[in-house]
Amino acid sequence: MASPTSSDAIQVQIQRTLSGLVTENTDRVRKICDRGEEDFRKRQPQFFSRRAIEWPETIDNQIIWKTKTKLWHARATFLKNPEAGDVFFLPRGDFYRIFTPEVVLHIVIHLKCYMSESDERKRRLAQDIYFGESQRAPCHKLLAALILMDHREVVHHFASFIQHGMNDDCLPLKPTSGVLGGKLVCSHRDHCRDLIINRDTDEDSDESAREDFMKQCESLTAPYTIWSEDGKHCHYILDAKGPLPLKYIRSASVGGFGEVSCVQLADADRSFSAVSPSTFCISTRVEKPKPSPSAFDLELSSLLFAGSRASKEDEDRNTKRHLLEVFATYEIHDVLSNLTTYYFLFPWANGNLKEFWEAKRRWNTSLTTRQDDLEWMIEQFFWLAKALRLVHNDRDKTLSSRRIPSNSRYGRHGDIKPQNILYFEDRDGRRTLVLGDFGLGRVNSKHSRSLITPGGAGGTVTYQAPEFENTDPRISRKTDIFSLGCVFLEFVTWLLDGADALKVFGDQRMEPDARPAYAAFSMDTFYVSCTPPKLKDSVKNWIQNLLDHPDCAEVVENLLNLIEKMLEPDHGKRIGSQFLERELSKILKTWKVRDEYYIIRQHGKGECFRIKRTNRRSTKLTVI
């Protein structure tokens, strides 16, 4: 057997091959380095189709100041930063509503650099500035950036910027080796600009003006976001600092991999306005470059892998609805700190499963009047199991599946818990649970899917599998089955007795660690840390109490029996996701067609009977 060190080395090499280069996989990912400008121009031709500009009937001498004020007030907050100040951007819809071709002409009329030009020449200049020309891209954002600056006179030097070959494709600009050098580099090209802000000022003032100019350029060039282009995930590389087109609403939480915030993405800043609401979730990761795959690489590869498996097997998208789908990702590298910030754009959930349980702490009615809730729970169990099976890429052991190529990939979630199962509710009141947060996910090859050592697997202690305690067994996909079994058991507890019972269950699981070195510590786990591991007596007793519950109908009993198989301490004997999906499918189908699966049945002349199970093999009907 390979030593742990060599196993880790093999695993690192595998991760580099399979997931570390996820953004380099041109078959799966489209890298966008121009902030989506080309895509925006293709999708919004009305802003760039050259047309005649009418001369203004009256000349407003305050047009530059008024335009600056309108643009300033149209800014939206991307991030709240108490230390360095808030980060702003200008939404595209608001910008093009304010900065029209007519406004550009009106501004050109007042620019000192064009005062000697004829009216017709000014009209043509305004057209070229706004729409571009054959040999030059538009320059209207460059003009707007100069107007937004605190240095009022800079805008009157606009012609010199054009003469230096600058246009909107150069934005945002970034310094070569510090702002004092006076050299600025185009973000999307290798051109280096001698930026002349104001030669009449001293060096310190010139430096301040350049910093101001770069800041305004960044606020005008937040990327235009596309959700999937030709089936490829869109990943945005933003070389310079700058905001994303996401209006900050509030911070939601801070997890092990970064902050999660609620944001809005305006219709004009995205290509998928018709398929999604405007509220989204942005998840942030800050990492240092390293040779092994980053957390971003691992999570994105897991998300794309699960999504691709769902697309191949799920024509009606039912299963895919239960997998968290990433709309786009962004990457910003800070040269000075050598840190890279990654952003995931997700749909905004109503909450997670734990919050959903807390919202309904105690039932006012018995389960007999809540058959819809029971059916919903069974359905969600099935779809979550099917979604997990797609992540695992688990298949029947048929002759054909034995011929799976050695480079076939297998996923693992790594951190299933109620907080990582998201809850969505649409406008029609349909509720959906979604498997989310693949922050500890892994994608492995056929020959490496059990090579991960427990020490590097991570996970949440309460819901982790017993094999995490050992150093010899390797972590397999069945760790997810154990974690999901813990969640399912709490779900049944919540359904029968409400959220208050979950705290009681958690208190009963707290007992001293079985290992002598840790005897002083109480651990909230579902298993005992011993060799071989075993399920805690408190968990076994809890399951039996649920089986003896007055509302434990046959369908609930079958679910609890299946959960016991999911909580098998020996991972070699534990069921897999393929078996779990198949058994839940049987339970769901039987629930829909068999009357005896219902908790209350009509019998005879409308008399109602409650199904009560005194033990696992007998049924007692009592008249209500």
Side-chain angles (χ1 to χ4, degrees):
M1 178 181 296
S3 65
T5 302
S6 62
S7 296
D8 291 343
I10 293 172
Q11 180 61 30
V12 168
Q13 183 62 38
I14 291 168
Q15 293 299 335
R16 286 179 182 174
T17 303
L18 292 177
S19 58
L21 300 177
V22 62
T23 53
E24 302 298 332
N25 187 343
T26 56
D27 294 332
R28 303 280 298 280
V29 177
R30 178 191 170 204
K31 293 171 65 173
I32 301 176
C33 299
D34 70 341
R35 299 181 173 241
E37 285 300 323
E38 182 179 353
D39 293 308
F40 178 71
R41 292 171 187 173
K42 289 180 180 178
R43 286 168 168 78
Q44 305 292 339
Q46 69 273 19
F47 295 122
F48 304 97
S49 298
R50 193 178 183 91
R51 62 176 176 81
I53 305 177
E54 297 295 331
W55 191 267
E57 295 181 0
T58 58
I59 304 299
D60 186 353
N61 294 326
Q62 300 295 318
I63 187 62
I64 295 178
W65 179 82
K66 289 181 178 178
T67 303
K68 177 179 180 177
T69 303
K70 291 179 180 178
L71 293 174
W72 193 265
H73 288 301
R75 296 182 311 163
T77 305
F78 164 55
L79 284 180
K80 293 285 186 179
N81 192 337
E83 297 179 357
D86 296 344
V87 180
F88 299 100
F89 74 98
L90 249 167
R92 290 176 184 266
D94 292 330
F95 173 75
Y96 284 105
R97 173 180 54 81
I98 297 169
F99 215 70
T100 64
E102 286 71 25
V103 169
V104 170
L105 173 57
H106 216 143
I107 292 171
V108 167
I109 294 173
H110 288 83
L111 291 181
K112 295 177 182 178
C113 56
Y114 295 131
M115 282 296 184
S116 61
E117 302 290 348
S118 65
D119 291 350
E120 183 58 30
R121 173 61 177 161
K122 291 177 181 178
R123 188 202 305 271
R124 290 198 302 269
L125 282 170
Q127 288 178 317
D128 293 342
I129 291 169
Y130 192 91
F131 301 109
E133 50 184 330
S134 59
Q135 301 298 323
R136 191 185 66 197
C139 305
H140 53 265
K141 285 190 176 181
L142 175 62
L143 176 60
L146 296 174
I147 290 175
L148 282 168
M149 290 177 61
D150 292 333
H151 300 69
R152 298 181 180 180
E153 292 301 314
V154 172
V155 67
H156 294 288
H157 296 276
F158 176 69
S160 66
F161 287 81
I162 302 299
Q163 292 169 3
H164 278 74
M166 294 185 63
N167 56 60
D168 289 354
D169 284 348
C170 300
L171 308 183
L173 296 166
K174 57 182 181 179
T176 53
S177 58
V179 182
L180 283 175
K183 295 280 189 179
L184 295 178
V185 181
C186 297
S187 291
H188 322 305
R189 301 178 182 180
D190 296 329
H191 298 163
C192 191
R193 307 297 183 189
D194 284 312
L195 184 60
I196 301 174
I197 294 295
N198 191 345
R199 291 302 187 187
D200 297 330
T201 62
D202 58 26
E203 187 175 293
D204 291 338
S205 178
D206 204 26
E207 176 188 352
S208 173
R210 281 192 292 267
E211 290 179 340
D212 187 14
F213 175 69
M214 288 187 293
K215 181 179 179 181
Q216 303 308 332
C217 289
E218 290 166 2
S219 72
L220 291 166
T221 53
Y224 178 74
T225 303
I226 299 173
W227 176 27
S228 181
E229 178 76 3
D230 298 327
K232 298 179 182 179
H233 169 78
C234 292
H235 178 67
Y236 291 82
I237 308 292
L238 311 179
D239 291 334
K241 291 182 179 180
L244 301 182
L246 307 172
K247 182 179 180 180
Y248 177 88
I249 304 299
R250 65 181 181 274
S251 293
S253 63
V254 178
F257 285 90
E259 184 177 352
V260 176
S261 300
C262 177
V263 295
Q264 286 185 341
L265 180 56
D267 290 352
D269 291 313
R270 55 188 168 118
S271 66
F272 46 98
S273 58
V275 297
S276 176
S278 62
T279 306
F280 297 85
C281 164
I282 191 74
S283 177
T284 309
R285 313 278 195 266
V286 180
E287 303 175 5
K288 286 187 176 181
K290 51 186 177 180
S292 59
S294 64
F296 166 78
D297 291 318
L298 295 172
E299 180 164 1
L300 181 58
S301 61
S302 298
L303 287 164
L304 297 184
F305 173 74
S308 65
R309 294 297 311 159
S311 297
K312 292 177 181 178
E313 299 188 21
D314 188 29
E315 294 182 358
D316 57 1
R317 291 181 60 85
N318 281 334
T319 312
K320 201 166 185 177
R321 289 175 58 240
H322 297 266
L323 282 168
L324 185 62
E325 194 161 15
V326 57
F327 288 113
T329 49
Y330 311 87
E331 172 183 338
I332 302 177
H333 183 68
D334 188 340
V335 178
L336 297 179
S337 65
N338 197 28
L339 291 175
T340 300
T341 304
Y342 297 97
Y343 298 92
F344 291 85
L345 185 66
F346 294 118
W348 178 254
N350 296 77
N352 59 48
L353 184 55
K354 183 177 181 180
E355 293 169 340
F356 177 77
W357 290 338
E358 288 290 330
K360 296 185 177 182
R361 294 200 53 81
R362 182 179 296 278
W363 295 111
N364 296 323
T365 59
S366 68
L367 188 59
T368 58
T369 59
R370 292 185 284 107
Q371 293 181 20
D372 290 342
D373 294 302
L374 177 57
E375 180 171 334
W376 178 72
M377 183 188 74
I378 300 170
E379 289 175 341
Q380 298 308 302
F381 279 11
F382 168 72
W383 289 113
L384 287 175
K386 189 169 184 179
L388 185 60
R389 197 261 301 168
L390 291 176
V391 174
H392 288 177
N393 200 12
D394 203 359
R395 315 172 212 195
D396 285 322
K397 295 182 179 180
T398 60
L399 179 62
S400 60
S401 66
R402 294 194 188 103
R403 297 174 180 172
I404 297 173
S406 61
N407 63 349
S408 294
R409 294 190 291 172
Y410 298 83
R412 181 174 66 84
H413 185 282
D415 195 19
I416 294 178
K417 56 184 178 181
Q419 294 91 329
N420 286 344
I421 297 178
L422 303 179
Y423 165 69
F424 290 85
E425 184 169 353
D426 61 21
R427 296 176 181 177
D428 298 326
R430 290 190 296 266
R431 300 172 296 178
T432 304
L433 294 182
V434 175
L435 192 60
D437 199 338
F438 286 74
L440 295 176
R442 299 292 188 271
V443 179
N444 306 312
S445 71
K446 178 183 179 182
H447 294 318
S448 69
R449 60 180 183 266
S450 296
L451 281 178
I452 303 175
T453 57
T460 302
V461 174
T462 298
Y463 302 94
Q464 73 179 13
E467 51 264 35
F468 279 78
E469 296 288 342
N470 303 317
T471 57
D472 182 31
R474 301 297 189 241
I475 301 301
S476 69
R477 294 167 292 167
K478 289 187 177 181
T479 59
D480 286 338
I481 299 297
F482 188 92
S483 300
L484 190 61
C486 298
V487 175
F488 281 2
L489 182 55
E490 289 190 329
F491 208 136
V492 174
T493 299
W494 168 83
L495 190 73
L496 293 178
D497 286 326
D500 290 337
L502 294 176
K503 185 179 185 305
V504 176
F505 184 27
D507 292 340
Q508 292 188 13
R509 293 196 305 267
M510 292 290 294
E511 57 186 60
D513 197 288
R515 296 167 296 180
Y518 301 93
F521 299 95
S522 294
M523 301 294 290
D524 180 13
T525 59
F526 283 70
Y527 62 89
V528 179
S529 300
C530 58
T531 304
K534 63 180 182 178
L535 213 59
K536 284 184 176 179
D537 290 337
S538 57
V539 176
K540 295 178 181 178
N541 294 334
W542 191 267
I543 294 175
Q544 185 58 53
N545 290 336
L546 293 178
L547 288 166
D548 295 336
H549 195 282
D551 285 339
C552 184
E554 185 177 350
V555 63
V556 180
E557 179 181 346
N558 287 351
L559 289 173
L560 289 170
N561 292 336
L562 184 59
I563 290 171
E564 284 187 292
K565 296 178 181 178
M566 298 172 69
L567 297 179
E568 167 59 50
D570 186 346
H571 68 92
K573 299 178 181 178
R574 194 179 306 147
I575 63 175
S577 53
Q578 182 79 30
F579 180 88
L580 176 62
E581 179 193 347
R582 185 166 56 246
E583 292 302 305
L584 284 171
S585 177
K586 293 178 183 178
I587 292 175
L588 180 59
K589 290 178 181 178
T590 309
W591 161 264
K592 291 180 178 293
V593 299
R594 287 180 57 187
D595 288 342
E596 55 264 36
Y597 260 48
Y598 286 90
I599 298 169
I600 285 189
R601 294 183 293 153
Q602 296 295 324
H603 183 76
K605 298 180 180 180
E607 296 173 301
C608 291
F609 291 82
R610 184 193 301 273
I611 297 179
K612 176 171 178 164
R613 303 212 168 263
T614 56
N615 55 51
R616 297 191 181 210
R617 294 181 175 83
S618 65
T619 301
K620 180 180 180 181
L621 300 180
T622 55
V623 179
I624 299 177

